[in-house]
Amino acid sequence: MEQDLISIVVPVYRAENYIEETLDCVRAQTYTNWELCMADGSADGSLDRILQEYAKRDKRIRYVTLTENEGISGNTNQALAMAE
């Protein structure tokens, strides 16, 4: 029986202190059929290295770096648009 895909949608903005902990927490879940969709509104590239590293390691992690911060609702909507 195939498990349903769970989409985890995360708006991100200058989360250098918490991003790795967040990514590790999601990856540690026992349910495995998930996708993590992140929209980074930091626009300064400060999280690119970390997000790129995790996305390479785990194909369930996807992210987009926005050209400007759209606030919590705008960043969330951008992440939601990525969800399958």
Side-chain angles (χ1 to χ4, degrees):
M1 183 175 181
E2 188 175 323
Q3 294 179 315
D4 291 330
L5 176 65
I6 302 295
S7 299
I8 304 162
V9 177
V10 179
V12 180
Y13 182 74
R14 298 192 178 163
E16 294 89 346
N17 296 332
Y18 306 103
I19 196 70
E20 289 185 73
E21 186 176 331
T22 300
L23 292 162
D24 289 339
C25 180
V26 172
R27 291 185 72 224
Q29 299 304 305
T30 57
Y31 189 86
T32 58
N33 195 25
W34 53 262
E35 64 176 350
L36 177 59
C37 304
M38 305 179 85
D40 178 15
S42 303
D44 62 0
S46 60
L47 299 177
D48 282 349
R49 181 191 58 77
I50 296 168
L51 292 172
Q52 188 174 51
E53 178 184 311
Y54 274 84
K56 271 186 181 178
R57 222 184 299 162
D58 193 324
K59 298 300 178 196
R60 299 173 296 179
I61 298 172
R62 295 184 294 128
Y63 75 96
V64 63
T65 301
L66 305 175
T67 56
E68 65 182 4
N69 182 29
E70 298 180 17
I72 192 166
S73 60
N75 295 359
T76 300
N77 286 338
Q78 293 287 345
L80 185 59
M82 299 168 59
E84 292 181 16

